[in-house]
Amino acid sequence: MSVLPGGLRVCVESVPQYGRGLAAVALTVAAGGDDDPAGRHGTAHLVEHLMFPRSGGGSADPTGEGYAALVAGAGGVCNAETHRDHTVFHTTVPAESLPDALAWEARRLLGFAPTEDVIRTETDVIGEEIRGAGDAGRSWESALGALYPGSRDSFGTAAELAGITAGEVEAFFRAHYTARRMVLSVVGDVDPAGVMAVVRAVFAGVGVIRVAGEAGAAEGIRAAGEARTAREIRTAPLPSGRPGVAVGHPLPDPVADRPAYLAQAVLAQVLGRSRLPALARSARDGHRLTSATVTCGYHGQWLASAAPDLTLAVLGRAPGTEVDAAVGIWRSVLRAVAEGPLPEAEHRRAVNSLLVAWHRQADSLPTRAVALGRDALLLPGSAGPDALPAELRRTTPAEVAAAARALLEGPATVTELAPQARTVPTARTHTVLTARAGTELAPQKGTVG
């Protein structure tokens, strides 16, 4: 890790064994849905889109080719994701094209100046994304908003974006895309010294503050980190294709209380892979669950966001099974684990399933680059992604039982999922994952397109 004079942190990792002849670049920015100005929900998401100009010709792109076209022309791929507390851009190219890719990355930051026409085009694209995103993520956003009032989803609101101006967009970019709020990570078949020489040359002016007062990072939401204390918070029902209920619980802080956080990740595996599916296949007191998924972390991406974050259970209800009965089943499963300890074999299977997921992605260059950037930006003090397997192995059955007790004793949200005439909501989450038990360690899709 190096820090440029302006404050940009740069992390370079040489791992030729994971990507012979390839390199991945990730730019992680502390700007997301939580930072959207009042009345302009979706600004962070829009800026992400505007970092991928469809055509060039301006000072930032004198050749007339957009960033994505330049990357594709080099045989590479690129994408991005907006989250509630950060935005990450990731690009993979042949290692020989890495100097060019770094120059293109710096150039689009230095030349960010979208026109009104481009903004209108991209707000229309975002509107289509919002309309087509589906209902899968709304339970998560409903739970987060109920536990932490004022939190914002990362997708945005089409109506609020409709009137946004180029001046507003550029003001957001200048305030939030500053050097001290960004981490550049480069991973792959690279020479760290050579990479740093290129970075110092092309990123020298990136992130210079051009407005008075650098923006804070939604401190009212992120710094508080305390959920409402009500035992159970009922939220408005949400439309769904099938009857169900979503139950949300706050997660421990992954920085201040990392062992407890990782115990929740293991608990989600235990519940989502064995305990709840077994109940979904058998009747209990005349009540049935037809399905059950448990996700730990932002839409199933654990260690992908700073606090606040959630564990979310989504339970399908058979005809005749009321919401309270389904919640009762959920709590009975938690009590069974809380009264543990877990059998050693069940605990080991849960830990191993998380380790398999980690190892499956460990040789993915963009995943490693994104993980390094997030750790540096969101999880200060983290030992890095390669330390995670050992941390998981240290998690004990007693800690998992304590994690279940914490869910039982802490606040929770309950949201009925009710089949009804479908409506088009005005907000959607950006990254929606359905991986059971929150096994994904990195985002699977973005918004470019």
Side-chain angles (χ1 to χ4, degrees), residues 20-290:
R20 291 178 178 84
L22 296 174
V25 178
L27 179 73
T28 310
V29 186
D34 282 353
D35 300 287
D36 289 341
R40 287 291 184 255
H41 184 203
T43 303
H45 185 185
L46 176 59
V47 169
E48 177 222 304
H49 273 243
L50 294 171
M51 285 282 284
F52 293 87
R54 313 252 168 201
S55 62
S59 59
D61 193 4
T63 65
E65 293 184 272
Y67 178 86
L70 291 168
V71 171
V77 293
C78 57
N79 214 325
E81 300 95 27
T82 300
H83 294 251
R84 61 165 191 81
D85 58 0
H86 71 283
T87 302
V88 58
F89 305 86
H90 46 91
T91 300
T92 303
V93 294
E96 63 187 22
S97 298
L98 177 60
D100 289 334
L102 290 169
W104 300 332
E105 185 73 74
R107 194 166 68 190
R108 64 172 171 169
L109 288 165
L110 290 167
F112 185 86
T115 65
E116 296 285 352
D117 288 344
V118 173
I119 289 172
R120 296 283 76 78
T121 296
E122 295 306 322
T123 54
D124 289 345
V125 172
I126 290 174
E128 289 301 317
E129 289 181 356
I130 292 172
R131 285 185 285 274
D135 299 325
R138 291 186 302 138
S139 298
W140 198 96
E141 300 294 355
S142 175
L144 185 72
L147 287 168
Y148 301 95
S151 60
R152 309 298 298 270
D153 72 74
S154 54
F155 240 120
T157 305
E160 294 188 11
L161 286 178
I164 197 166
T165 66
E168 290 174 303
V169 171
E170 191 161 353
F172 182 93
F173 177 87
R174 302 302 175 199
H176 293 277
Y177 280 59
T178 61
R180 289 191 295 273
R181 293 169 61 88
M182 297 192 292
V183 175
L184 181 73
S185 46
V186 181
V187 172
D189 193 357
V190 301
D191 168 46
V195 170
M196 285 306 305
V198 174
V199 169
R200 290 190 181 97
V202 301
F203 277 82
V206 167
V208 176
I209 300 173
R210 294 179 173 84
V211 295
E214 183 179 1
E219 299 297 338
I221 298 170
R222 298 180 195 170
E226 295 181 359
R228 282 178 167 173
T229 57
R231 167 80 178 192
E232 186 174 283
I233 305 167
R234 296 276 172 151
T235 65
L238 294 174
S240 175
R242 296 178 180 178
V245 61
V247 186
H249 302 268
L251 280 172
D253 190 312
V255 175
D257 202 358
R258 192 174 179 91
Y261 182 100
L262 294 179
Q264 290 289 351
V266 176
L267 175 63
Q269 289 291 317
V270 170
L271 297 172
R273 289 187 177 274
S274 58
R275 298 294 177 105
L276 284 166
L279 275 179
R281 293 190 295 268
S282 62
R284 179 185 181 277
D285 298 331
H287 303 297
R288 284 181 61 88
L289 299 181
T290 59

Side-chain angles (χ1 to χ4, degrees), residues 269-336:
Q269 289 291 317
V270 170
L271 297 172
R273 289 187 177 274
S274 58
R275 298 294 177 105
L276 284 166
L279 275 179
R281 293 190 295 268
S282 62
R284 179 185 181 277
D285 298 331
H287 303 297
R288 284 181 61 88
L289 299 181
T290 59
S291 62
T293 61
V294 185
T295 53
C296 175
Y298 186 72
H299 299 301
Q301 298 178 69
W302 52 293
L303 291 181
S305 294
D309 213 338
L310 302 175
T311 280
L312 183 74
V314 179
L315 313 173
R317 297 180 289 120
T321 301
E322 299 298 328
V323 167
D324 288 342
V327 174
I329 295 172
W330 166 248
R331 291 193 173 277
S332 73
V333 176
L334 288 177
R335 279 193 295 272

